[in-house]
Amino acid sequence: MSKKKKQTEIKPKALTKATIQNLQRLTDSNTLKLLKQTLTKLGLQDFLHTFSAYFSRQINTNKTLINENEILFSDDKTLSHILHIPSHEKLKALIQALDTYSNIESLKLPKVSLLNNEILSLAKGGALRLYDIFQCLCMIKFFYDFSKRDDIDNEYLKEYVNKFVFPSEITSLLAFFVFTSKQNSTSPQSYLNKEVDNELSTLYKALENKHKEKQEALYHTLNISNLQEYLVDKQIHFFEDNATLLVRAGYANVLHARVIGRSMHGFFYIVPLSLESIESHIHILQDKIEERLLHLAKEYSKILSKHIHFLRFINTEYDFMDRALARLYFAKDFNYSFVFADNKNTSITLHEYAHPSLKNPIPLNVSMPTNLLMITGVNAGGKTMLLKSILSALWCAKLYIPMRINAAKSQLPFMKNIHIIAQDPQDSHNDISTFSGRIQEISALLSQKDMILGIDEIEIGTDSSEAASLYKVILEKFLANSTKVIVTTHHKHLAALMADNIHTRLLAATYDYKRACPTFSFIEGIGKSYALECAKQYGIPQEIIDEAKKVHGDEANKLERLIEESHTQITKNKQDSLKLQALIKEQDTKIQELEHTKSKLKARFEEQSLTLKRHYNEAIKEIKMLAKQSSGNLKALQNLKELDTNTLQGTQEIVKNIHKLLNKAHKNEAKSPKINIESTQKYSLNDMVQYQNKIAKIIAQHKDSYSIELHNGVRLKGVRGMELKPLSPKQIKQDSNILYNQGYKLEADIRATTRLDLHGYTKEEAQMLLEDFLNHAIMARFSEVLVVHGLGNGILKRMVENFLDSCDYIRGYTQAPPNMGGLGAKIVYLNG
């Protein structure tokens, strides 16, 4: 028997770093391609082209160096740099801070190329060209000068510039270069400070002298008489950095020279051989200068490489500053405003917005509080431009790009993904129809989150009746994913199907019958297309339009009008209902706030009332003691035979007045108004309520209070309605399950003590305090407490004993030992 060959397991190869980078570049390329398509559909190409001119960073593309006037919308590298924001929060803060800086016009960033590759080379030990070093130092010089300004009063900018700590070697290096605002030349002579390096300065002076010597020799040659007939002119021409003469053919008969080049007309640029020695010296000097410049570049590169992290920091901050200043200067020049996208906001409001592609725009006012906006109405009435305007404003707000808008009255949410499906997606090369293309675009976005989608003319390409049903379900799918959708359509059937959805808002573009043209304004409801009226405006003869109206029929017009009016009324009713619900919610909130305020006032009043009562009782107690002492003194004085009659009468009058004041104080206290703050909520027997975060049941009703029973069996009297809260059936069910299935656990903030002193209180006050004291002691699970009632006339003692005898939640009581009060106190034993 033949053995079966064991199949070898094929393991997938691990992706290499190069493969991952290629995949990333492919992904970024596709993303950028989709972004450019979106921006093109939104009509923002010229707007972006103008905006890009305000950037100082120069992007070196594969074709040529792009400056501020040549940035192309089609260039991926440039577009990616302009639209990239590494940190939204930081850029927003920097824009807002710089916007308050009074001297912002003086902040002009130098034109600097993208230096990421150069800095990477420097980090690996390489040496930069002198021009690259100069560009790095231009960035450093800007921030160095900015940090030294004394007119920065914004706190954020102060903190920002304090982050820059410039190494002394770097600041010393700045002196080796010349920084001017109009510096564009790449020649070292234009930006290098030659005086700093003596050797280089000497070489430049020697080269300058040799050039002068050569020029003088050329002027001498120009005056040779035999050469005059061969000279084209008597000027010195510079050809490829060489000083030359321009001569005709035949010059060799009178002058030995070397030809440097030829002109368009066949003349010769020559250098006389008598100047070869000077030329040789010039070349030698130029080589020495190049060697010295190369040496300086290496030395300066070594200094920069020591501070590579600082250089990277400066390069990053330059881009942040460039992005902020570009937006601010752009806003200033065009009188634009910033609307920063808000993560917390979901509603869209545009006030006096103008799309940048329109030459004479009518300011647009629109709000989108719902997730679906359907725009119907007259042809060429601005439906598509309304859709593009909303998406364009969201896109600009997302990237902090200023626009023409009333920022104070507008608000825009932050939308991570902004898509538009517009124009005809039909592609004959790929054998795809209009409808199929639309469906493919929509299906690719069905599962995407955090998105707003604009669909222009959603009904295009298929039967309107079938499409209405399909698109209704598709739109509801988008709404289920919390996706915002803006749709323009002539599908009245689709608009009618979506009108009942609470997330839908219907807008209609209006038509002016008198002027026979669209008004470019919008109203609530479903609009008419006015196809026949618009056809006349675009040149269709009147007789054709009249015939079309007959074919369409008056009944159809009436039916359409009725449908429009009906759905307009439905929309109005729905909006009124939402407003009413909002008002009810607002009133409920106010009622809750009032209840909360009332509860706080009650607690504060009771606290102040208790304090005043305590002070009153203490004052009465002191007066009583004084009266008692005065009466004793009076009896003692009466026993003295030598007492003066007037002194005795005066003392008697004082005691009498003290008793009068006491009687008057008691009468006033009894007549003082009793303020009760009560809840409007009424409760019945056996109602389940919440008391101090505990569940309780109403067991008795009194005039202005309730008796309640807690789930641990403790009963409390005199509980005011303000202290209780009603429980919903759901809460009662949940709490019951917890109590009876998992066991009751008492958790409360109980302010209880083990000793109560009733001295100085009236009988009624003492009884209330005793009841509250025992209630809190039981809730705190004390086993025994001490009640001090004193001896006195025995009123408080009898009240305490009677109360304890009738109390069913204590185990008993006994007289306290002498060290705890003796006959004037009771030890009460509580149910555990």
Side-chain angles (χ1 to χ4, degrees):
M1 294 178 66
S2 60
K3 296 182 179 181
K4 293 183 178 180
K5 293 184 179 180
K6 187 177 181 180
Q7 293 182 351
T8 58
E9 184 180 355
I10 302 175
K11 295 182 179 180
K13 294 182 178 180
L15 294 177
T16 63
K17 184 177 180 180
T19 305
I20 294 174
Q21 290 177 346
N22 289 333
L23 290 173
Q24 183 65 39
R25 279 194 293 268
L26 182 62
T27 303
D28 293 343
S29 177
N30 291 334
T31 302
L32 195 60
K33 180 180 178 181
L34 292 174
L35 175 61
K36 289 197 293 185
Q37 291 175 354
T38 300
L39 297 177
T40 301
K41 291 177 181 179
L42 292 177
L44 297 176
Q45 306 97 306
D46 293 338
F47 176 72
L48 277 181
H49 175 81
T50 305
F51 171 60
S52 63
Y54 285 82
F55 281 76
S56 295
R57 179 74 84 178
Q58 296 179 305
I59 309 301
N60 189 12
T61 63
N62 295 330
K63 298 179 181 179
T64 182
L65 187 66
I66 304 298
N67 59 35
E68 69 273 19
N69 296 318
E70 298 173 350
I71 295 178
L72 303 176
F73 181 77
S74 59
D75 179 58
D76 291 354
K77 196 172 183 180
T78 301
L79 186 64
S80 178
H81 175 77
I82 291 171
L83 302 184
H84 178 58
I85 300 178
S87 171
H88 284 77
E89 182 179 354
K90 181 176 179 179
L91 181 60
K92 178 182 176 181
L94 190 57
I95 291 173
Q96 291 175 329
L98 288 171
D99 197 25
T100 64
Y101 183 48
S102 57
N103 201 18
I104 191 174
E105 293 82 4
S106 63
L107 294 180
K108 297 294 184 182
L109 282 170
K111 300 293 182 181
V112 175
S113 301
L114 197 64
L115 298 170
N116 294 347
N117 292 334
E118 285 74 12
I119 294 176
L120 180 62
S121 174
L122 196 64
K124 293 180 178 180
L128 301 184
R129 299 178 305 160
L130 268 177
Y131 185 68
D132 295 333
I133 295 172
F134 170 67
Q135 290 195 100
C136 291
L137 293 175
C138 281
M139 296 189 299
I140 296 172
K141 181 71 162 53
F142 170 83
F143 288 109
Y144 181 76
D145 292 341
F146 186 41
S147 65
K148 297 298 180 183
R149 294 190 176 215
D150 56 1
D151 58 349
I152 301 176
D153 52 5
N154 183 277
E155 290 299 325
Y156 180 86
L157 285 181
K158 287 181 180 178
E159 293 179 5
Y160 179 75
V161 296
N162 287 336
K163 294 178 182 178
F164 293 85
V165 180
F166 298 89
S168 58
E169 286 186 304
I170 295 291
T171 54
S172 299
L173 199 59
L174 295 176
F176 298 165
F177 293 84
V178 178
F179 302 93
T180 59
S181 58
K182 298 181 180 180
Q183 183 63 60
N184 293 317
S185 175
T186 59
S187 173
Q189 288 181 275
S190 62
Y191 58 77
L192 194 63
N193 187 355
K194 297 181 288 292
E195 302 300 326
V196 174
D197 187 78
N198 294 330
E199 183 178 346
L200 185 63
S201 177
T202 302
L203 290 173
Y204 272 123
K205 288 180 180 178
L207 180 63
E208 184 180 354
N209 291 333
K210 283 297 178 182
H211 278 298
K212 287 181 179 179
E213 184 180 346
K214 178 182 176 182
Q215 193 170 357
E216 291 174 358
L218 284 174
Y219 277 118
H220 177 73
T221 304
L222 283 173
N223 294 321
I224 297 176
S225 57
N226 296 337
L227 188 62
Q228 300 303 313
E229 60 179 303
Y230 300 104
L231 291 174
V232 176
D233 53 40
K234 288 193 174 184
Q235 294 180 2
I236 296 175
H237 297 267
F238 286 89
F239 184 83
E240 295 181 354
D241 295 331
N242 288 299
T244 64
L245 302 177
L246 186 61
V247 297
R248 298 183 179 88
Y251 71 90
N253 296 325
V254 296
L255 181 66
H256 297 288
R258 178 167 56 91
V259 177
I260 301 299
R262 299 192 64 173
S263 69
M264 295 177 57
H265 301 288
F267 302 129
F268 300 93
Y269 292 104
I270 63 171
V271 176
L273 293 180
S274 59
L275 303 181
E276 284 292 330
S277 176
I278 299 176
E279 281 285 332
S280 177
H281 280 90
I282 288 175
H283 289 311
I284 292 172
L285 288 172
Q286 287 176 339
D287 290 341
K288 288 182 178 180
I289 289 173
E290 287 297 325
E291 289 178 3
R292 187 59 185 170
L293 291 175
L294 182 60
H295 172 75
L296 293 177
K298 290 179 180 180
E299 292 297 319
Y300 297 160
S301 295
K302 288 179 182 179
I303 296 175
L304 289 178
S305 63
K306 294 179 184 178
H307 307 283
I308 192 67
H309 296 295
F310 174 75
L311 191 56
R312 284 172 174 163
F313 170 71
I314 288 290
N315 190 51
T316 301
E317 294 306 316
Y318 175 90
D319 281 332
F320 267 110
M321 184 64 71
D322 193 20
R323 292 181 175 102
L325 290 177
R327 285 164 169 80
L328 287 167
Y329 290 143
F330 183 51
K332 181 182 177 182
D333 287 351
F334 291 91
N335 196 25
Y336 286 165
S337 301
F338 288 96
V339 177
F340 298 105
D342 186 2
N343 286 318
K344 299 178 181 178
N345 177 42
T346 58
S347 178
I348 298 173
T349 302
L350 296 181
H351 193 79
E352 298 177 8
Y353 174 78
H355 193 281
S357 67
L358 300 177
K359 293 182 179 179
N360 298 306
I362 299 174
L364 175 68
N365 299 317
V366 65
S367 64
M368 185 179 170
T370 59
N371 278 357
L372 175 60
L373 178 63
M374 296 199 73
I375 312 167
T376 59
V378 59
N379 291 285
K383 298 189 299 299
T384 301
M385 187 50 66
L386 174 61
L387 180 150
K388 291 183 177 181
S389 294
I390 295 174
L391 296 184
S392 298
L394 286 169
W395 189 84
C396 288
K398 170 186 172 182
L399 296 180
Y400 304 154
I401 299 177
M403 47 191 152
R404 187 171 300 171
I405 193 173
N406 187 331
K409 297 182 179 180
S410 302
Q411 61 178 13
L412 295 166
F414 181 86
M415 303 303 301
K416 182 178 180 181
N417 300 299
I418 300 173
H419 297 284
I420 179 172
I421 299 176
Q423 302 172 354
D424 188 350
Q426 181 171 280
D427 189 343
S428 58
H429 178 72
N430 295 328
D431 193 22
I432 186 171
S433 68
T434 299
F435 175 73
S436 301
R438 279 291 173 93
I439 291 299
Q440 280 190 2
E441 289 185 87
I442 291 173
S443 63
L445 301 172
L446 273 175
S447 59
Q448 193 166 123
K449 303 288 185 180
D450 194 12
M451 176 185 69
I452 184 167
L453 171 64
I455 307 176
D456 188 31
E457 302 291 352
I458 193 171
E459 75 279 1
I460 192 172
T462 190
D463 177 71
S464 61
S465 178
E466 284 185 297
S469 301
L470 174 63
Y471 285 129
K472 176 184 183 295
V473 178
I474 289 175
L475 292 175
E476 289 175 343
K477 173 66 175 176
F478 278 124
L479 294 177
N481 288 338
S482 299
T483 297
K484 288 186 175 292
V485 187
I486 307 172
V487 173
T488 67
T489 181
H490 292 284
H491 268 338
K492 292 179 183 176
H493 184 38
L494 175 60
L497 289 175
M498 297 303 300
D500 294 333
N501 192 301
I502 61 172
H503 300 293
T504 301
R505 186 188 184 197
L506 298 173
L507 285 183
T510 58
Y511 183 81
D512 189 342
Y513 277 101
K514 292 182 179 180
R515 295 190 297 137
C517 65
T519 63
F520 302 105
S521 59
F522 301 87
I523 59 172
E524 296 281 349
I526 301 175
K528 183 181 176 183
S529 297
Y530 295 97
L532 299 178
E533 290 80 359
C534 291
K536 178 182 178 181
Q537 185 181 357
Y538 290 105
I540 300 299
Q542 184 63 45
E543 57 271 17
I544 295 178
I545 294 174
D546 293 339
E547 187 64 27
K549 286 182 179 180
K550 291 179 182 179
V551 174
H552 189 60
D554 293 336
E555 293 300 323
N557 284 325
K558 291 179 181 178
L559 180 60
E560 283 187 2
R561 206 158 42 244
L562 287 173
I563 292 174
E564 292 167 10
E565 292 174 357
S566 172
H567 286 295
T568 301
Q569 188 61 41
I570 290 173
T571 303
K572 186 177 182 300
N573 293 340
K574 183 172 66 174
Q575 291 175 341
D576 291 342
S577 175
L578 291 173
K579 289 179 181 178
L580 181 60
Q581 291 176 7
L583 287 173
I584 292 172
K585 186 177 180 181
E586 183 180 351
Q587 291 300 319
D588 289 341
T589 304
K590 288 182 178 178
I591 291 172
Q592 291 177 3
E593 290 176 352
L594 288 173
E595 288 289 340
H596 180 67
T597 303
K598 187 163 62 174
S599 178
K600 288 173 63 177
L601 289 173
K602 173 186 176 296
R604 185 179 177 186
F605 167 76
E606 289 181 346
E607 181 182 353
Q608 292 178 351
S609 177
L610 186 60
T611 303
L612 290 174
K613 284 181 179 179
R614 187 179 297 111
H615 291 166
Y616 172 79
N617 291 330
E618 289 174 356
I620 293 297
K621 185 177 178 181
E622 290 178 4
I623 293 174
K624 285 181 178 180
M625 292 176 64
L626 180 61
K628 185 177 180 180
Q629 183 180 357
S630 299
S631 298
N633 293 338
L634 181 60
K635 291 179 181 179
L637 289 173
Q638 287 174 345
N639 294 329
L640 296 176
K641 295 180 179 180
E642 67 274 9
L643 179 65
D644 182 59
T645 304
N646 293 332
T647 304
L648 179 61
Q649 289 178 351
T651 305
Q652 290 174 340
E653 188 66 27
I654 291 172
V655 173
K656 185 178 179 181
N657 289 334
I658 289 174
H659 284 289
K660 283 183 179 180
L661 289 173
L662 281 172
N663 292 332
K664 185 177 181 181
H666 283 302
K667 289 179 181 179
N668 290 336
E669 197 276 336
K671 293 179 180 179
S672 62
K674 305 297 181 182
I675 302 175
N676 294 322
I677 303 177
E678 276 301 332
S679 172
T680 55
Q681 179 73 38
K682 299 298 181 182
Y683 302 99
S684 304
L685 289 176
N686 299 322
D687 280 354
M688 300 300 294
V689 294
Q690 184 178 356
Y691 173 70
Q692 294 184 356
N693 296 324
K694 297 173 287 296
I695 302 170
K697 182 171 70 172
I698 304 293
I699 58 174
Q701 290 178 282
H702 309 291
K703 184 177 179 181
D704 56 356
S705 63
Y706 298 92
S707 293
I708 63 173
E709 182 180 2
L710 303 177
H711 274 284
N712 62 349
V714 175
R715 294 186 177 185
L716 304 177
K717 297 178 182 179
V719 180
R720 298 181 180 276
M722 179 61 73
E723 301 176 74
L724 303 176
K725 292 182 180 179
L727 290 178
S728 65
K730 184 178 180 181
Q731 287 176 307
I732 294 172
K733 183 178 179 181
Q734 290 176 348
D735 293 331
S736 298
N737 292 334
I738 294 172
L739 291 173
Y740 298 114
N741 296 338
Q742 299 179 4
Y744 182 79
K745 183 179 180 182
L746 179 63
E747 293 182 356
D749 181 15
I750 302 171
R751 294 176 293 177
T753 61
T754 59
R755 186 178 186 276
L756 173 64
D757 191 351
L758 298 176
H759 280 100
Y761 293 98
T762 63
K763 178 182 176 181
E764 291 75 18
E765 292 172 348
Q767 185 172 346
M768 290 179 62
L769 289 172
L770 178 60
E771 185 176 0
D772 289 339
F773 170 72
L774 293 177
N775 288 337
H776 285 92
I778 290 173
M779 292 172 67
R781 297 187 180 277
F782 293 153
S783 60
E784 61 182 57
V785 292
L786 178 67
V787 179
V788 181
H789 50 70
L791 295 174
N793 53 15
I795 295 176
L796 291 180
K797 178 182 178 182
R798 287 192 295 274
M799 182 277 296
V800 170
E801 290 175 348
N802 292 334
F803 182 88
L804 295 176
D805 289 336
S806 63
C807 189
D808 57 356
Y809 51 85
I810 68 170
R811 290 186 289 121
Y813 64 93
T814 185
Q815 182 179 306
N819 63 331
M820 297 178 65
L823 296 175
K826 296 287 187 295
I827 295 178
V828 183
Y829 301 97
L830 306 175
N831 290 322

